[in-house]
Amino acid sequence: MPTPALHRALTEVADPHLRPLPDAVAALLTELDAPARLGAHLRAVHDVAARLVVGVAEAYPGLAFSAEQVLFGAATHDIGKVAHPSELSGPGSEHEPAGYALLVARGVEPCLARFARDHGSVAYARLSTEDLLVVLADKVWKGKRVPPLEDEVTARLCAVDGEQPWEAFLRLDDLLERLARDADARLAFQARHPV
Ligand SMILES: [Fe+2]
């Protein structure tokens, strides 16, 4: 059974609506006795990633990526903060290798565990499309815009059907603006849950 605080973070009806985390991830957070704040954060980023994936797939049906990987990555990216809880409210990147190790030790395939390790990378050109979408969701959930990251995503989108960069950027910008609209409510939701 999760603690009451974690249970609330994982199930509370939020405004805007935040879909629940995948059952396997919720069970893992419960097993790890994860802080409620972490559960709330992963839920917020996972929900934004789900909406981002739908928006990108609708606009670029030819873009090859695994939505399933993106959703798993978004739902688990900060799981290493279980071992480094100070990084829930302060800076630090020790949670990144710790999260990868934690997931692999529990039998998660390295190709899925990698999001926990790589979501802090700024070497955007070297990241897969799935990685880029997880990193993007981890920014836009709170309304943060990162031009070099968006430039790399735009380049991937252009490569699909030869669209001009400015056209692809306008479509991406429109989608990100829509996702960022609820950022304040998501931040308030996350802040309600204790570290
Ligand atoms: Fe995060």
Side-chain angles (χ1 to χ4, degrees):
M1 280 291 288
T3 61
L6 178 60
H7 181 72
R8 268 198 303 281
L10 296 179
T11 59
E12 186 183 273
V13 176
D15 181 23
H17 172 75
L18 297 176
R19 70 201 71 206
L21 287 170
D23 288 344
V25 176
L28 179 56
L29 292 172
T30 300
E31 187 188 318
L32 294 168
D33 198 15
R37 177 74 55 87
L38 177 60
H41 175 66
L42 294 176
R43 201 173 147 203
V45 176
H46 171 260
D47 186 75
V48 168
R51 293 162 60 198
L52 178 62
V53 155
V54 168
V56 167
E58 274 175 9
Y60 296 91
L63 183 70
F65 72 98
S66 163
E68 205 180 328
Q69 281 199 10
V70 175
L71 295 185
F72 183 86
T76 56
H77 72 283
D78 272 339
I79 203 157
K81 291 186 181 178
V82 164
H84 298 279
S86 66
E87 295 181 9
L88 276 169
S89 51
S93 55
E94 287 183 50
H95 70 277
E96 294 166 9
Y100 176 79
L102 182 158
L103 289 171
V104 169
R106 277 168 177 72
V108 173
E109 295 286 330
C111 72
L112 289 173
R114 74 167 197 272
F115 295 99
R117 183 190 61 204
D118 297 339
H119 68 274
S121 172
V122 293
Y124 302 128
R126 290 211 290 270
L127 295 179
S128 69
T129 300
E130 289 86 353
D131 288 296
L132 288 171
L133 293 174
V134 171
V135 178
L136 196 53
D138 196 27
K139 304 296 181 198
V140 80
W141 79 275
K142 59 182 172 185
K144 185 168 181 190
R145 303 289 301 265
V146 182
L149 169 62
E150 294 175 16
D151 287 347
E152 184 58 36
V153 175
T154 298
R156 306 289 172 101
L157 299 177
C158 287
V160 176
D161 55 12
E163 204 176 24
Q164 291 299 313
W166 66 268
E167 291 174 302
F169 178 74
L170 282 184
R171 286 218 261 180
L172 179 65
D173 181 57
D174 183 58
L175 175 57
L176 296 180
E177 280 296 307
R178 272 187 281 133
L179 293 173
R181 215 168 279 158
D182 299 326
D184 287 347
R186 280 187 296 267
L187 281 161
F189 165 78
Q190 178 177 297
R192 275 202 300 278
H193 298 280
V195 172

